[in-house]
Amino acid sequence: MSARIDAFVVAVPGLEPLVLGEVQKLGVRPARPVRGGVECTVTWPQLWAINLRSRSATRVVVRVARFKADGFHSFQKGLAAIPWSEWLAPNAGVQVSVTSDKESKLYHTGAVEERAMETLARPLGEQVVLIRILHDIVTISLDASGAPLHHRGWRGPAGKAPLRESLGAALVTASEWDAKTPLVDPFCGSGTIAIEAALIARRMAPGRNRSFAFQQWPTFEDDAWARVLRGADGDVVEKCPPIIASDRDAGAIAATIENAARAGVGDNIETAVRAVSDLVLPPRAGWIVCNPPYGQRVGGDDIRNLYDRFGAVLREKAVGWNVAVLGSSDTPVARLHLPLRPALSTTNGGIEVVLHTGPVPPAP
Ligand SMILES: C[S@@+](CC[C@H](N)C(=O)[O-])C[C@H]1O[C@@H](n2cnc3c(N)ncnc32)[C@H](O)[C@@H]1O
């Protein structure tokens, strides 16, 4: 159990600092952010805990070997020299995922994949062996997560353009919500932001209701895993500030209610079918965190009208609140007429997006 493993915690570009914070909070040292993730050295229980508890990461992979290969012979020799029985269960099936640069002799990824499967001599299966070749240096890693970490196990109905759960959590963290005062999402769709906020406030581990690839590895130990789970469960609190999710679409609210129940936070989220122009806020000021439509047209309305109306409602009803709005380059955030600044830049479904945050000041 005291082995130290080189791990890479994969993150969507832009979310690396948040993932670094999450990894450090679990006591992982050293940890270094690079583009696309965080490099770190971990014990096995730390690797499991990152999978269980990271809210913003995509997946975790572990480095198995690194060697030089300038042809298929040296590639297959290097791959065969890896003590696979220490990494994979005797009957585990594998699949390989190869990336290579044009500078390397082994640039034909299809041919590398074929030789790798031949050398590994295992049936096709779920354990993913990642092969990366850069300037003839081959890095072999194993995917410890399995399904991506945003698959928490709670999503049923998806609604229109749902956010990835890891991005929903990242927005709440980047909004700097204090998890003590109310959080409102008036464009809640399937409820991702509100559900991730409730999981954060109640300190519930996002991966508690799913399984991971590492559970099939020979290094997995039931007792040590039970301790990691107990540690996570011991942190859970019942107390949760008001979290309010509304949307003008009744189907979206039905999806939010079902998803919140599946995530175990059904009692922590208040829902309402309501257009943003009828926004209702609790008396105590808190945070409005949302992902309004980005498109040019929204159900027949012009997106500019929507932002004009949203801005007017905020300036009328939300003085003293903090606002965090996710938008794309097409989103007319300036029409809110609020002193917002970019707090996070990342991508959502291939679109570049920015979270704009700031206070709603009193009228001059
Ligand atoms: C991009 S989606 C939000 C997705 C959500 N974050 C999720 O993860 O599922 C935008 C939502 O805004 C809602 N919407 C559009 N115009 C609205 C309005 N004027 N008032 C309230 N909701 C509105 C839509 O019904 C849609 O569910």
Side-chain angles (χ1 to χ4, degrees):
M1 270 299 119
S2 59
R4 305 278 290 167
I5 307 111
D6 286 335
F8 186 68
V9 187
V10 181
V12 175
L15 304 190
E16 300 94 338
L18 301 178
V19 171
L20 177 69
E22 292 172 351
V23 165
Q24 287 175 330
K25 217 165 138 193
L26 292 169
V28 172
R29 307 273 186 284
R32 190 171 75 93
V34 295
R35 187 170 162 78
V38 173
E39 290 177 343
C40 49
T41 307
V42 292
T43 62
W44 286 114
Q46 283 175 332
L47 176 84
W48 307 337
I50 297 171
N51 276 282
L52 177 69
R53 302 180 74 158
S54 169
R55 299 184 190 277
S56 304
T58 303
R59 63 175 64 256
V60 190
V61 304
V62 299
R63 163 110 38 92
V64 171
R66 177 170 277 180
F67 55 87
K68 188 169 173 21
D70 50 12
F72 286 120
H73 180 71
S74 47
F75 170 72
Q76 288 186 286
K77 206 170 139 205
L79 194 62
I82 295 170
W84 284 106
S85 61
E86 291 175 16
W87 292 100
L88 294 173
N91 305 321
V94 295
Q95 50 187 290
V96 295
S97 164
V98 182
T99 53
S100 176
D101 64 349
K102 295 279 168 265
E103 266 52 74
S104 296
K105 306 232 170 30
L106 295 172
Y107 61 85
H108 189 315
T109 54
V112 173
E113 189 180 318
E114 223 169 84
R115 299 298 176 100
M117 284 306 280
E118 193 183 299
T119 311
L120 292 167
R122 284 173 178 263
L124 193 63
E126 292 194 343
Q127 298 288 328
V128 180
V129 178
L130 301 142
I131 301 175
R132 195 162 72 112
I133 308 174
L134 263 183
H135 299 286
D136 293 335
I137 302 295
V138 181
T139 305
I140 307 288
S141 307
L142 270 181
D143 172 17
S145 302
L149 296 177
H150 65 263
H151 288 206
R152 317 281 209 222
W154 59 252
R155 189 174 291 284
K160 293 177 217 151
L163 286 177
R164 245 175 288 117
E165 293 76 349
S166 45
L167 179 55
L171 299 184
V172 175
T173 306
S175 78
E176 299 185 359
W177 178 47
D178 59 6
K180 293 186 188 112
T181 53
L183 182 140
V184 177
D185 178 0
F187 298 94
C188 72
S190 60
T192 317
I193 292 173
I195 293 167
E196 291 295 325
L199 294 173
I200 289 172
R202 295 199 48 209
R203 301 187 201 154
M204 291 164 74
R208 192 62 177 88
N209 297 318
R210 55 161 283 167
S211 58
F212 303 95
F214 65 73
Q215 290 175 275
Q216 306 303 322
W217 294 0
T219 43
F220 181 69
E221 286 178 20
D222 283 321
D223 290 354
W225 174 235
R227 277 196 295 279
V228 171
L229 290 176
R230 273 201 304 277
D233 291 347
D235 283 352
V236 174
V237 294
E238 289 304 316
K239 212 169 147 206
C240 188
I243 296 177
I244 302 163
S246 58
D247 196 291
R248 70 172 177 192
D249 178 30
I253 293 304
T256 295
I257 292 170
E258 186 176 334
N259 285 330
R262 290 164 62 111
V265 292
D267 291 342
N268 304 118
I269 299 175
E270 215 182 286
T271 56
V273 179
R274 187 187 285 150
V276 75
S277 38
D278 302 324
L279 183 72
V280 177
L281 294 175
R284 185 173 180 200
W287 266 254
I288 294 166
V289 183
C290 59
N291 157 223
Y294 319 131
Q296 283 304 318
R297 299 195 72 75
V298 192
D301 293 342
D302 190 289
I303 189 90
R304 284 168 305 186
N305 290 340
L306 177 68
Y307 271 77
D308 287 345
R309 234 175 314 138
F310 186 31
V313 166
L314 291 173
R315 281 176 277 114
E316 182 197 333
K317 298 183 181 173
V319 172
W321 283 67
N322 298 286
V323 175
V325 182
L326 187 72
S328 72
S329 56
D330 290 338
T331 308
V333 178
R335 297 183 86 103
L336 296 175
H337 293 291
L338 291 174
L340 305 186
R341 59 178 175 80
L344 182 79
S345 300
T346 183
T347 56
N348 177 30
I351 301 173
E352 288 188 16
V353 289
V354 176
L355 183 73
H356 303 267
T357 63
V360 183

